């Protein structure tokens, strides 16, 4: 992970995917390899109530800005009983406006994905509801083409974090896809959407 991070250390923001055991060492290695990048950690529901506080402490020591979904959805009550030294973002624990209720005591941010909300209309309403509850907003995505990302671009200006890299993970995107330049993505052309 340190070697891969070193190749991307010029980017202003890096999202680090973790998976459980040894994550504290991974976080430290990534920070050492990218001392100037802002870091988001995606724990992918892999932490436990037994290692949660230690891993959050390691993240704080490394200057991590945000930790996504550290505990499994439905098993995240421990987040309400601890001091969180790093902002924690709900991903699998949140889907739409109805799922926002009760999350405020456990999370500081929510990841809004059009795939989860059911589409743009609910995503827009969810962003407004999340802001009213004083959540930070992340706009995320699944692996998908530029056509799936284009509507999410309408939410990007509301978000503290934007993770719309789905087309970059495809072997081939659709014609007239979004234009990516380094860490920036540009609004869609009318030939794609809108």
């Amino acid at each position: 992970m340190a070697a891969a991070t070193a190749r991307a250390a010029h980017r202003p923001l890096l999202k680090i995917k973790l998976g459980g055991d040894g994550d504290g060492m991974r976080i430290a290695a990534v920070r050492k390899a990218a001392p100037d990048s802002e870091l988001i950690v995606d724990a992918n529901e892999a932490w436990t109530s037994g290692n949660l506080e230690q891993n959050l402490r390691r993240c704080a020591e490394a200057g991590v800005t945000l930790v996504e979904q550290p505990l499994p959805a439905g098993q995240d009550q421990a987040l309400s009983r601890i001091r969180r030294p790093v902002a924690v973002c709900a991903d699998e624990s949140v889907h739409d406006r109805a799922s926002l209720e009760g999350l405020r005591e456990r999370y500081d941010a929510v990841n809004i994905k059009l795939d989860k909300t059911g589409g743009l209309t609910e995503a827009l309403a969810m962003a407004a509801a999340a802001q009213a509850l004083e959540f930070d907003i992340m706009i995320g995505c699944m692996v998908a083409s530029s056509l799936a990302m284009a509507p999410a671009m309408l939410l990007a200006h509301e978000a503290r974090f934007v993770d719309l890299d789905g087309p970059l993970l495809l072997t081939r995107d659709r014609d007239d896809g979004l234009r990516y330049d380094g860490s920036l993505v540009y609004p869609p052309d009318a030939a794609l959407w809108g």
Side-chain angles (χ1 to χ4, degrees), residues 100-112:
L100 287 172
E101 188 174 335
L103 292 183
R104 194 65 191 102
E105 63 189 25
R106 288 177 265 171
Y107 292 96
D108 308 291
V110 292
N111 189 344
I112 299 174

Side-chain angles (χ1 to χ4, degrees), residues 32-56:
K32 185 175 180 182
D36 299 323
S37 298
E38 185 174 13
L39 299 179
I40 294 175
V41 163
D42 187 350
N44 285 307
E45 301 180 278
W47 295 354
T48 67
S49 56
N51 65 20
L52 175 65
E53 289 183 89
Q54 176 186 346
N55 283 333
L56 287 175

Side-chain angles (χ1 to χ4, degrees), residues 67-193:
V67 175
E68 274 188 85
Q69 199 67 44
L71 299 174
Q75 300 173 35
D76 54 2
Q77 298 81 6
L79 288 167
S80 66
R81 296 189 296 269
I82 65 166
R83 183 185 156 280
R84 297 186 300 270
V86 175
V88 178
C89 180
D91 187 354
E92 287 80 5
S93 288
V94 67
H95 299 278
D96 52 21
R97 280 177 292 172
S99 62
L100 287 172
E101 188 174 335
L103 292 183
R104 194 65 191 102
E105 63 189 25
R106 288 177 265 171
Y107 292 96
D108 308 291
V110 292
N111 189 344
I112 299 174
K113 296 178 180 175
L114 271 66
D115 311 75
K116 292 190 304 184
T117 66
L120 180 58
T121 301
E122 178 61 20
L124 289 165
M126 184 179 171
Q131 286 174 325
L133 292 169
E134 299 183 358
F135 282 109
D136 281 334
I137 294 176
M138 178 177 198
I139 302 303
C141 68
M142 307 295 196
V143 176
S145 74
S146 286
L147 187 57
M149 301 306 117
M153 295 289 292
L154 293 177
L155 291 160
H157 69 281
E158 301 288 339
R160 166 69 175 87
F161 305 98
V162 178
D163 182 17
L164 296 176
D165 64 348
L168 300 175
L169 304 173
L170 299 174
T171 302
R172 184 181 178 281
D173 193 11
R174 63 187 304 121
D175 292 339
D176 301 309
L178 292 173
R179 182 168 63 94
Y180 290 84
D181 181 12
S183 297
L184 300 176
V185 59
Y186 291 85
D189 291 329
L192 174 67
W193 183 78

